[in-house]
């Protein structure tokens, strides 16, 4: 019977939706705990991608962060007024993309903890965005199934 299949699909979708909502709530609680700890920033960005079922899924990617030396001027500060000798172009700075290295070798432990907390919080935020998209998709599928059941004359579940 078609109605029994629709009801089974509706039940399965509803259970998945409830599981996703529970996971979203736990990630929100974890993110709120991380937000309280964050005091530093990291060199990462968020990028959406398309999942197999056509929904967007977010993921964290390493940004092409520039170091402080790359942002500054390319020319030497002092120039010779006489003579044709040119100062050779400096070698590109190949420091670690970790912004904590900008503060020197002896970075306070609390700053490292804040960076790690921020990175975990960013991952949680990305997961939450993907979950929210999946929940919205599930809700629309749930409405469609309920409409199909109404059209068959069995009423909404």
């Amino acid at each position: 019977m078609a109605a029994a299949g629709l009801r089974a699909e509706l039940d399965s979708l509803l259970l998945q939706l409830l599981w996703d909502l529970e996971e979203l709530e736990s990630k929100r609680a974890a993110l709120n705990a991380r937000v309280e700890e964050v005091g530093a920033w990291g060199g990462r960005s968020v990028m959406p991608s398309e999942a197999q079922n056509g929904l967007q899924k977010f993921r964290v990617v390493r940004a092409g962060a520039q170091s402080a030396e790359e942002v500054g001027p390319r020319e030497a500060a002092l120039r010779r007024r006489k003579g044709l000798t040119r100062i050779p172009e400096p070698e590109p700075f190949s420091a670690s993309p970790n912004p904590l290295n900008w503060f020197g070798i002896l970075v306070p432990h609390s700053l490292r903890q804040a960076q790690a907390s921020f990175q975990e919080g960013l991952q949680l935020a990305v997961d939450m965005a993907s979950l929210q998209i999946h929940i919205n998709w599930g809700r629309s599928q749930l409405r469609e199934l309920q409409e199909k059941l109404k059209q068959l004359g069995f009423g909404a579940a």
Side-chain angles (χ1 to χ4, degrees):
M1 184 179 233
L6 282 176
R7 287 187 186 275
E9 189 177 349
L10 187 68
D11 289 345
S12 172
L13 188 59
L14 190 57
L15 285 174
Q16 180 65 39
L17 189 61
L18 289 174
W19 184 83
D20 287 345
L21 286 169
E22 184 177 336
E23 186 177 358
L24 180 64
E25 184 60 32
S26 68
K27 288 188 183 283
R28 279 185 181 157
L31 181 63
N32 288 338
R34 292 283 171 224
V35 166
E36 294 173 0
E37 297 174 12
V38 174
W41 41 270
R44 297 184 184 261
S45 65
V46 178
M47 175 179 243
S49 63
E50 189 99 0
Q52 291 176 348
N53 55 4
L55 298 175
Q56 283 189 340
K57 184 172 178 99
F58 292 89
R59 60 187 169 93
V60 177
V61 294
R62 188 83 180 145
Q66 295 180 330
S67 67
E69 289 76 9
E70 291 174 338
V71 174
R74 292 273 182 200
E75 298 179 11
L78 299 175
R79 296 186 202 167
R80 290 187 181 169
R81 294 183 183 248
K82 296 182 182 178
L84 298 175
T85 59
R86 294 197 62 151
I87 298 173
E89 199 58 36
E91 293 292 322
F93 188 71
S94 61
S96 171
N98 186 355
L100 290 185
N101 292 339
W102 297 351
F103 296 99
I105 297 171
L106 300 174
V107 179
H109 186 65
S110 61
L111 195 55
R112 290 193 191 279
Q113 285 177 330
Q115 183 187 37
S117 182
F118 176 83
Q119 290 170 347
E120 290 173 17
L122 183 61
Q123 184 63 50
L124 284 170
V126 166
D127 293 343
M128 286 171 45
S130 294
L131 263 174
Q132 190 63 54
I133 288 173
H134 193 263
I135 288 169
N136 291 343
W137 175 81
R139 290 178 65 196
S140 68
Q141 294 295 317
L142 192 66
R143 286 187 196 113
E144 288 177 18
L145 286 175
Q146 287 175 335
E147 285 298 318
K148 285 181 183 178
L149 278 174
K150 283 181 184 178
Q151 289 173 359
L152 289 175
F154 291 103

